[in-house]
Amino acid sequence: MPGAGKALGWRLWATLPFLLLPFVPRDLWPDGVGAVLERLWALLPAFWTAGFAWAFARTLRPGREPLIARYIRFDDRRDPAECAGYARGLTLFWAVVLALFAAVEIAAPLAGIDPGLWPESAMLALFLGEHVVRSLLFPAGGIAWPTQTLGAILRAERARHG
């Protein structure tokens, strides 16, 4: 796509003022803008989490390779054919879990509750727990280490984006 780089650059420049808005001193804001901006800033983690949920879910459409299956192709210790069903199920699992966390991250600030780091802690625990499950289900590949998974993700994304 010849114009893709220009479009991305334009979008980045168009959003830059909104990204810098939280750093403008409150004294310079018109009345009422501060409360709205603070609420939007509190919802930012929910938007990120919802985006990740969508990234997982959209790869589950017919004819698409599930996201986890793509990552497994770049893991030298796993057989993509052996892990195909597991990869689809795990992709669905993460899509649902991330969507639920996004809903919680939206509801908590709207209800005046600060969830702290518990959503991130729970996701980390699920991520680490999945490695235990994978090690037990596919012992031929050895122990599944998070560093191997992160390396496979990096290799897959590098191959996809160059």
Side-chain angles (χ1 to χ4, degrees), residues 38-79:
E38 285 178 9
R39 190 153 303 219
L40 287 175
W41 196 252
L43 293 174
L44 190 60
F47 296 142
W48 279 99
T49 306
F52 282 118
W54 173 247
F56 278 86
R58 70 189 175 123
T59 65
L60 293 169
R61 292 183 291 192
R64 302 277 312 259
E65 179 182 35
L67 187 60
I68 302 293
R70 181 170 60 225
Y71 294 157
I72 287 175
R73 278 194 294 119
F74 288 87
D75 186 348
D76 298 335
R77 298 180 61 192
R78 304 287 166 214
D79 177 15

Side-chain angles (χ1 to χ4, degrees), residues 76-161:
D76 298 335
R77 298 180 61 192
R78 304 287 166 214
D79 177 15
E82 180 186 20
C83 299
Y86 177 76
R88 178 167 285 284
L90 187 59
T91 302
L92 176 62
F93 170 80
W94 278 110
V96 170
V97 164
L98 289 167
L100 290 172
F101 276 112
V104 167
E105 288 175 331
I106 287 172
L110 293 177
I113 300 169
D114 180 14
L117 291 177
W118 83 260
E120 292 81 3
S121 301
M123 283 189 264
L124 178 62
L126 289 171
F127 177 74
L128 295 175
E130 185 275 322
H131 287 80
V132 173
V133 171
R134 190 177 343 148
S135 296
L136 295 173
L137 289 177
F138 304 104
I143 296 174
W145 295 101
T147 53
Q148 292 169 324
T149 299
L150 295 174
I153 291 169
L154 289 174
R155 287 189 296 277
E157 293 303 319
R158 195 174 301 133
R160 181 174 173 220
H161 298 290

